[in-house]
Structures are given as structure tokens and as C-alpha cells.
């Protein structure tokens, strides 16, 4: 049985994402949802729980697109249909990134 490891309210967000895991080339994904501590996305490649890298994604805040990047850790990776659903936990996001995410979540 899977345990939902997410905490806090989540908000749906659909945008392009670029994932650069340590030691790997950039790969494309699509965001699914976000909260103050992380986000989930769909991805063509399997990643291992605990893998670390940079996740960049776009949020529309106050009518403007903003690209955010944050070092993140893989919390879970689930095969779903023809892709993987991956949950990332943000690792020490900077103040500006958190302010933008919090504005989006309001």
C-alpha cells in the first residue's frame, strides 16, 4: 500500500519542467501540482528515491510567467500509464523562490 508522503495543500499547475539530476543531461517533464515544500511532475524516465538534482519550472504569478529553479530530492517515483509520476521535495529554496511559490499558492 502506498502512503501519501505529501504535506500541505497542493495546487494544480501545468507547465514545462526541466530536470537536471546530478551527473545526467537535462530532461523534459511536465508539472502536475505544487505546494510549499515540493512539486510533482510527469516524466519519461524512472528516477530513484533519494536522487538529487535541479528542477526548473514555470509559474504564472500575477499574470507573469516566472521560471523558478530549485535543488530537489526525489521523494517517490510511480509508473503511471506511459510515464512516471515523480514527487520532488525542495532542498533549501532561496527566499525569492519561496516568495513566488507562496504568491502562486494564495
Amino acid at each position: 500500500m502506498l502512503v501519501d508522503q505529501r504535506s500541505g495543500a497542493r495546487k494544480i499547475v501545468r507547465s514545462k519542467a526541466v530536470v537536471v539530476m546530478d551527473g545526467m543531461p537535462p530532461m523534459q517533464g511536465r508539472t502536475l501540482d505544487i505546494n510549499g515544500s515540493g512539486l510533482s511532475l510527469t516524466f519519461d524516465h524512472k528516477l530513484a528515491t533519494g536522487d538529487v538534482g535541479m528542477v526548473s519550472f514555470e509559474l504564472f504569478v500575477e499574470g507573469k510567467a516566472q521560471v523558478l529553479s530549485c535543488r530537489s530530492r526525489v521523494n517517490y517515483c510511480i509508473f503511471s500509464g506511459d510515464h512516471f509520476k515523480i514527487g520532488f521535495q525542495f532542498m533549501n529554496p532561496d527566499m525569492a523562490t519561496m516568495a513566488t511559490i507562496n504568491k502562486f499558492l494564495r
Side-chain angles (χ1 to χ4, degrees):
M1 184 168 118
L2 290 174
V3 176
D4 193 344
Q5 299 175 350
R6 302 178 300 181
S7 60
R10 306 203 51 98
K11 187 170 181 180
I12 293 171
V13 58
R14 301 282 194 253
S15 68
K16 292 179 185 174
V18 176
V19 177
V20 184
M21 300 310 292
D22 292 354
M24 297 173 70
M27 296 177 277
Q28 300 286 323
R30 299 243 355 130
T31 61
L32 293 170
D33 59 25
I34 188 169
N35 75 359
S37 62
L39 84 156
S40 66
L41 52 84
T42 59
F43 208 55
D44 289 335
H45 307 279
K46 182 177 182 177
L47 296 176
T49 300
D51 282 357
V52 174
M54 286 297 288
V55 178
S56 300
F57 56 98
E58 191 174 62
L59 285 182
F60 281 88
V61 179
E62 297 173 347
K64 290 181 269 196
Q66 298 191 35
V67 176
L68 303 178
S69 295
C70 191
R71 195 134 174 85
S72 303
R73 175 182 292 114
V74 176
N75 255 7
Y76 63 86
C77 180
I78 303 166
F79 186 69
S80 175
D82 58 350
H83 58 269
F84 293 91
K85 182 177 178 182
I86 301 178
F88 288 93
Q89 180 177 1
F90 300 137
M91 299 171 61
N92 302 316
D94 62 42
M95 296 288 279
T97 298
M98 283 313 303
T100 302
I101 291 169
N102 288 331
K103 272 188 197 174
F104 177 81
L105 292 172
R106 275 191 230 129

